[in-house]
Amino acid sequence: VLISPTVYGNVLLGPTAEDLPDKTATNTSANGLNSLLEKGRKILPQLLEEEVTATYAGLRAATEHSVPADRLADLLVARGYSEAITYSFIDSDFEAAVNPGTEPIALANPIAADMAVLRRSLWPGLLAAARLNLSHQRQRLKLFEIGPQFEAHGAGVTQSTVLAAIGVGSRTPEHWEGAAPDLDFFDLKSDVEALLQLTGRSAEFRFEAAEHPALCPGRTAQITLEGQTVGWLGTLHPDLQARLDKKRGAVLFALRLDPTFSARIPSFRS
């Protein structure tokens, strides 16, 4: 147990660890907090007479119950992707183009006019990053990001972690033998299938024809698990394609980390 002063003028006590039956839980439990306070009293009794102003949790232990985000990132890098980190605040017009017909989550005091709303998808940030790279004469581009996206929920906002990616340009690097064909739907579908293989239950996922406002009709699939939509894959809609690059089509996918990457634990059979 560590007792340490902080730059905020208070004192940090921790950490603790618990073996919880719910391996996805990240909240502070009463038992964990009480155990920590008991250990703290043995080290510095006077400290624990003060009020507990806040508790923090969320560092989930390594577990076979889910595929670590680092492993997902490593696989995509091995398949030719570069990782991007984009802002959670995006342009309201771009947000409306990707998620039309719904009210955006506006910021009360945006730091800039083009960062006025919370993103409800990682795609606007990836599209902006791809557009910048293409303007610098990049002929082949595959980007991914693992980060939060937001949804309005009553009077508040909920957050979920998503893995999203975009591919645009030639299928392979430039070569003296000639130009390669451009990336298409099935190239990124193979990347998605490689990610799903890490869960140990890839056969349970389904790719079903569907429609998404940001994707091209007839070239869009929703990815489902046990009847629940966990992701999307498709070619960028022509209206959005005009904002990116009129000559080369783009393909995107997005997967919710929970429950997509809850893994099947191998079991022994006699």
Side-chain angles (χ1 to χ4, degrees), residues 21 23 62-67 71 198-201 204 261-269:
K23 300 303 181 184
T63 172
E64 291 182 321
H65 290 266
S66 62
V67 182
R71 191 175 178 193
L198 297 177
T199 67
R201 50 175 189 162
E204 299 177 22
F261 295 106
S262 56
R264 169 173 290 168
I265 301 176
S267 57
F268 173 77
R269 295 180 182 179

Side-chain angles (χ1 to χ4, degrees), residues 18-261:
E18 293 180 83
D19 184 12
L20 301 175
D22 180 4
K23 300 303 181 184
T24 65
T26 57
N27 296 324
T28 304
S29 71
N31 289 338
L33 180 59
N34 291 334
S35 173
L36 190 60
L37 294 176
E38 181 180 349
K39 293 177 181 179
R41 289 190 183 95
K42 295 179 181 178
I43 302 172
L44 193 60
Q46 298 86 349
L47 174 63
L48 275 300
E49 295 176 2
E50 302 296 327
E51 177 187 5
V52 177
T53 57
T55 61
Y56 301 91
L59 295 177
R60 189 183 303 172
T63 172
E64 291 182 321
H65 290 266
S66 62
V67 182
D70 287 348
R71 191 175 178 193
L72 304 175
D74 288 345
L75 185 143
L76 288 175
V77 169
R79 296 180 72 90
Y81 285 82
S82 298
E83 185 171 10
I85 301 175
T86 64
Y87 289 107
S88 294
F89 309 142
I90 61 174
D91 179 69
S92 57
D93 291 339
F94 218 158
E95 162 66 16
V98 174
N99 296 294
T102 56
E103 190 69 23
I105 306 171
L107 300 176
N109 297 293
I111 60 176
D114 60 350
M115 303 176 74
V117 298
L118 278 175
R119 64 183 181 189
R120 289 177 292 169
S121 168
L122 272 61
W123 286 346
L126 289 173
L127 286 167
R131 181 172 58 187
L132 178 63
N133 277 268
L134 292 171
S135 71
H136 287 78
Q137 309 305 314
R138 288 288 299 274
Q139 301 299 315
R140 180 174 182 267
L141 188 66
K142 296 174 79 176
L143 298 175
F144 79 93
E145 180 174 8
I146 300 174
Q149 68 181 30
F150 306 88
E151 289 292 338
H153 184 74
V157 176
T158 60
Q159 173 180 316
S160 58
T161 304
V162 174
L163 164 59
I166 182 172
V168 59
S170 60
R171 181 175 295 161
T172 57
E174 188 176 3
H175 193 269
W176 60 268
E177 289 185 335
D182 284 349
L183 289 163
D184 61 19
F185 176 94
F186 295 100
D187 290 310
L188 266 71
K189 183 173 184 283
S190 69
D191 295 332
V192 172
E193 289 173 335
L195 289 167
L196 299 181
Q197 286 282 349
L198 297 177
T199 67
R201 50 175 189 162
S202 58
E204 299 177 22
F205 291 89
R206 298 288 181 268
F207 293 81
E208 302 173 352
E211 291 187 1
H212 189 287
L215 302 176
C216 183
R219 299 180 182 179
T220 301
Q222 63 178 352
I223 305 164
T224 63
L225 174 65
E226 298 176 349
Q228 178 184 2
T229 300
V230 297
W232 290 89
L233 165 68
T235 302
L236 186 62
H237 194 282
D239 293 343
L240 287 170
Q241 185 65 47
R243 294 187 176 207
L244 180 66
D245 187 319
K246 295 181 179 180
K247 297 180 180 179
R248 290 167 291 190
V251 187
L252 306 99
F253 70 79
L255 297 165
R256 292 165 46 207
L257 258 62
D258 292 329
T260 307
F261 295 106

